[in-house]
């Protein structure tokens, strides 16, 4: 097994800079999630690790070996695509077996390896079916088995859960985490879904417009966002951003997560807001209000608490320890 | 079947134009040809007498028909596999994202806009022993220059086949290029990561994913081969004689030197037999190849 290192990697497509001066260390056996909005360059980073795109500049290492110019098949990297990229004319068995066959592995070893991979992913009964006869979740497992059967140093996964329904996505998330723990391999996982990132990653790398914004554990990134983008990208509903003057002195911005917004007595300080929308989600309630200057504020609280009604005037506040402070350029202060 | 009586009337009214066109231009001519096929007629086609339905079997057993059918089969064998292989090969080459490939795509697909008459004329000149380029090139390899490829009984049919392959190349190229562009790039990338080289990707991804298109193209090319007429008429007129080495079934029906040209009854019998043979061939192609064809999901 091996870690992955990207050193000052840039990727241009014509005049478009897809990835800009990107450096990242992924440790051996780590589950690294590349998180960002659509078009931010996270898939391009993954494809450069896999060898499907060549960096315009910079270096990609797998283990200690420089991978620039090394063909994808020689990198010992397996990839699970968003569309799964299963060969529709081959059976599940032939799909899983293909990487071994293409590399000239002996047929006895192939049979054993396919059986092992199928057993790990619960595909033993589906081996003679074609991908078209499988559900989305089963196809996803076949794609994983095809990656698994090669026993690669690094697994690259490009939004592999995005075609699944919400329930199956939740189930497969935990299966992937369990698989990572079981294999002890390095996983590089691309997603735009913050829930996937928060629940699966050992660490998260947040990318915007081809630039790495922050790398850290899910807790770090959520609790100490490096800038306003990261602060508002992670969390549902996103962090509220206010001018500092509403709560304290200074020219900076103040961010407060919705779960830390409190409805307080009008005499105890805070900001007045008019409630516009109350969303009951069962286990929690999202309350959306508007301040006098038009700023939208969202509060989140447990479903058992009494909630204001739409049209009510309320006073909202946040304890100082829950306030995140960002300078005028959006970077975190302290 | 219909929810209201009015629905049936509306449906009939909407189908009527299609039924009328099909009836006038397909069903009636076909029925008429089958009927004429048991008659013998004079040159004007006005005086006909019944010869009996056994005429179909008589024509089928006749040496002229069997010779023409053999020539047609050989012609199809010469044109279809070669046309398919060259068309797919060029389409795969032109599918690469490299500078200037658009020019080659235009060149490769240009024959689709070339009529059989023009293609035949071009190749008639190219194959001429006196001025043609091809006989000169072949003579370098010891292949005779005179009396010319089109005038030699052994080379006339392959020479016409070259014309047909060239003329059909644009059609095959365009259809296969469109099919290639609809194959998801991830399949090739996945195969690349799995360790498959160029040939393995071609046999394991490209060909299976192209299979419905290849079936369609092969059926069309076989049909075109069995309907070859203009190139034969323009290049050899069914000759060289007396071997009649390029007399295809269609030429037997319509050709100026055809043995049956003055009998509309016999022409119809031959035409109906050709129709049945093509129908059976197409069914055989579908049945035998369909198991290897993947229609995606």
């Amino acid at each position: 097994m091996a870690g992955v290192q990207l050193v000052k990697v840039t990727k241009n497509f014509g005049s478009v800079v897809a990835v800009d001066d990107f450096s990242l260390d992924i440790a051996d056996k780590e589950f690294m999630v590349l998180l960002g909005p659509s078009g931010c360059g996270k898939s391009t980073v993954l494809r450069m690790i896999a060898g499907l795109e060549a960096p315009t500049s910079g270096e990609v290492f797998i283990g200690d070996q420089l991978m620039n110019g090394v063909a994808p098949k020689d990198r010992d990297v397996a990839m699970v695509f968003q569309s799964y990229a299963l060969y529709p004319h081959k059976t599940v068995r032939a799909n899983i077996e293909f990487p071994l066959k293409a590399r000239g592995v002996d047929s006895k070893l192939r049979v054993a390896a396919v059986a092992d991979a199928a057993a790990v992913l619960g595909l033993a009964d589906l081996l003679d079916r074609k991908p078209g006869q499988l559900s989305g979740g089963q196809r996803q497992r076949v794609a994983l088995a095809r990656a698994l059967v090669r026993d690669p140093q690094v697994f690259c996964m490009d939004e592999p859960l995005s075609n699944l329904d919400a329930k199956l996505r939740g189930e497969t998330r935990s299966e992937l985490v369990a698989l990572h723990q079981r294999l002890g391999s390095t996983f590089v996982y691309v997603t735009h879904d913050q829930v996937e990132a928060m629940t699966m990653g050992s660490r998260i790398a947040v990318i915007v417009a081809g630039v790495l914004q922050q790398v850290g554990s899910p807790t770090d990134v959520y609790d100490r966002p490096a800038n306003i983008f990261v602060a508002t990208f992670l969390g549902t509903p996103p962090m509220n951003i206010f001018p500092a003057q509403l709560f304290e002195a200074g020219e900076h911005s103040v961010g407060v997560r919705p779960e830390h917004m409190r409805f307080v007595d009008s005499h105890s300080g805070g900001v007045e807001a008019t409630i516009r929308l109350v969303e009951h989600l069962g286990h929690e309630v999202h309350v959306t209000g508007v301040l006098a200057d038009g700023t939208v504020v969202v509060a989140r609280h447990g479903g058992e608490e009494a909630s204001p009604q739409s049209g009510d005037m309320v006073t909202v506040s946040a304890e100082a320890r829950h306030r995140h402070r960002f300078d005028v350029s959006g970077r975190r202060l302290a | 079947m219909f929810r209201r009586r009015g629905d049936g009337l509306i449906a009939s009214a909407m189908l009527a134009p299609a039924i009328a066109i099909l009836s006038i231009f397909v069903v009636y001519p076909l029925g008429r040809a089958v009927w004429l096929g048991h008659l013998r007629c004079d040159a004007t086609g006005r005086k006909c007498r019944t010869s009996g339905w056994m005429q179909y079997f008589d024509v089928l057993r006749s040496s002229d028909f069997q010779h023409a059918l053999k020539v047609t089969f050989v012609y199809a064998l010469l044109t279809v596999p070669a046309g398919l292989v060259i068309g797919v090969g060029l389409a795969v080459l032109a599918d690469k994202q490299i500078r200037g490939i658009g020019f080659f795509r235009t060149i490769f697909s240009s024959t689709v806009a070339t009529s059989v008459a023009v293609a035949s004329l071009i190749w008639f000149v190219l194959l001429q022993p006196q001025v043609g380029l091809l006989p000169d090139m072949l003579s370098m390899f010891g292949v005779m220059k005179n009396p010319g490829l089109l005038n030699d009984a052994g080379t006339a049919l392959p020479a016409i086949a070259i014309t047909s392959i060239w003329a059909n190349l644009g059609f095959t190229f365009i259809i296969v290029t469109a099919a290639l562009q609809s194959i998801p790039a991830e399949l090739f990338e996945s195969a690349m990561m799995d360790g498959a080289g160029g040939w393995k990707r071609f046999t394991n991804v490209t060909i299976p994913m192209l299979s419905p298109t290849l079936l369609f193209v092969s059926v069309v090319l076989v049909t075109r081969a069995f309907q070859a007429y203009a190139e034969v008429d323009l290049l050899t007129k069914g000759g060289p004689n007396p071997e009649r080495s390029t007399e295809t079934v269609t030429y037997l029906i319509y050709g100026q030197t055809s043995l049956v040209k003055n009998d509309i009854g016999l022409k119809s019998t031959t035409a109906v037999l050709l129709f049945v043979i093509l129908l059976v061939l197409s069914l055989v192609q579908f049945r035998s190849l369909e198991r290897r064809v993947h229609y995606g999901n």
Side-chain angles (χ1 to χ4, degrees), chain A residues 47 50 52 73 77 79 81 83 85-90 98-99 101-103 132 139 146 150, chain B residues 184 186-197 200-201 203-205 208-209 294 296-297:
Chain A
R47 289 169 64 82
L52 296 173
K73 68 183 173 68
V77 171
M79 179 125 163
F81 292 84
S83 63
L86 300 179
Y87 309 117
H89 50 283
K90 292 183 189 287
F98 185 72
K101 211 170 175 177
R103 286 159 198 271
R139 287 182 205 187
R146 193 175 61 185
R150 281 174 44 199
Chain B
E186 287 94 347
L187 287 184
F188 293 108
E189 290 177 345
S190 177
M192 211 187 295
M193 297 216 60
D194 286 343
K200 276 189 178 150
R201 288 200 298 276
T203 53
N204 282 280
V205 181
M209 296 305 286
H294 170 73
N297 54 71

Side-chain angles (χ1 to χ4, degrees), chain B:
Chain B
M1 191 172 176
F2 295 107
R3 275 181 290 178
R4 291 196 313 250
R5 191 175 294 174
D7 287 351
L9 286 172
I10 292 168
S12 305
M14 293 176 86
L15 284 171
I19 290 171
I21 290 168
L22 276 172
S23 303
I24 293 167
F25 294 107
V26 178
V27 179
Y28 172 73
L30 187 62
R32 178 83 177 148
V34 173
W35 172 255
L36 286 170
H38 86 298
L39 303 177
R40 295 296 299 269
C41 302
D42 66 2
T44 63
R46 287 181 186 146
K47 287 184 183 171
C48 296
R49 60 182 169 77
T50 306
S51 176
W53 294 103
M54 286 304 287
Q55 180 159 288
Y56 282 100
F57 292 97
D58 293 341
V59 169
L60 193 64
R61 283 193 294 258
S62 72
S63 59
D64 291 329
F65 182 80
Q66 286 186 1
H67 169 76
L69 193 60
K70 187 182 153 199
V71 169
T72 310
F73 264 104
V74 172
Y75 182 72
L77 283 173
L78 287 172
T79 56
V80 177
L84 211 54
V85 168
I86 297 171
V88 171
L90 288 179
V92 169
L93 284 176
D95 197 42
K96 310 275 182 248
Q97 297 297 321
I98 50 178
R99 191 185 292 271
I101 199 68
F103 171 75
F104 289 97
R105 282 187 191 145
T106 308
I107 296 289
F108 295 155
S109 56
S110 61
T111 64
V112 80
T114 309
S115 71
V116 180
V118 172
S120 301
L121 191 64
I122 292 169
W123 281 92
F124 184 73
V125 174
L126 283 174
L127 294 167
Q128 278 301 305
Q130 290 80 23
V131 292
L133 195 65
L134 209 63
D136 273 344
M137 289 167 66
L138 288 174
S139 67
M140 292 193 309
F141 298 100
V143 178
M144 60 173 179
K145 193 171 177 182
N146 283 309
L149 296 173
L150 291 169
N151 296 319
D152 183 88
T155 56
L157 195 63
I160 298 179
I162 291 171
T163 311
S164 172
I165 291 166
W166 183 83
N168 284 322
L169 208 55
F171 165 77
T172 310
F173 177 80
I174 288 174
I175 300 283
V176 175
T177 297
L180 276 173
Q181 288 176 356
S182 68
I183 302 175
E186 287 94 347
L187 287 184
F188 293 108
E189 290 177 345
S190 177
M192 211 187 295
M193 297 216 60
D194 286 343
W199 179 249
K200 276 189 178 150
R201 288 200 298 276
F202 181 71
T203 53
N204 282 280
V205 181
T206 310
I207 291 295
M209 296 305 286
L210 283 181
S211 55
T213 306
L214 296 181
L215 175 62
F216 167 73
V217 172
S218 66
V219 169
V220 171
L221 291 183
V222 167
T223 308
R224 284 187 179 183
F226 271 74
Q227 292 173 342
Y229 171 77
E231 51 269 62
V232 177
D233 194 43
L234 289 163
L235 293 174
T236 60
K237 301 214 179 302
N241 291 321
E243 294 90 343
R244 293 184 284 132
S245 51
T246 60
E247 190 176 74
T248 58
V249 177
T250 321
Y251 196 79
L252 183 66
I253 299 168
Y254 293 111
Q256 291 168 26
T257 59
S258 164
L259 298 164
V260 301
K261 71 170 182 177
N262 290 327
D263 190 328
I264 197 167
L266 280 178
K267 282 178 156 186
S268 301
T269 316
T270 316
V272 170
L273 285 173
L274 179 64
F275 167 73
V276 172
I277 289 166
L278 259 181
L279 191 68
V280 171
L281 256 181
S282 298
L283 285 174
V284 168
Q285 278 181 284
F286 272 108
R287 283 284 164 87
S288 59
L289 296 176
E290 213 167 27
R291 271 170 294 168
R292 294 166 186 263
V293 168
H294 170 73
Y295 288 99
N297 54 71

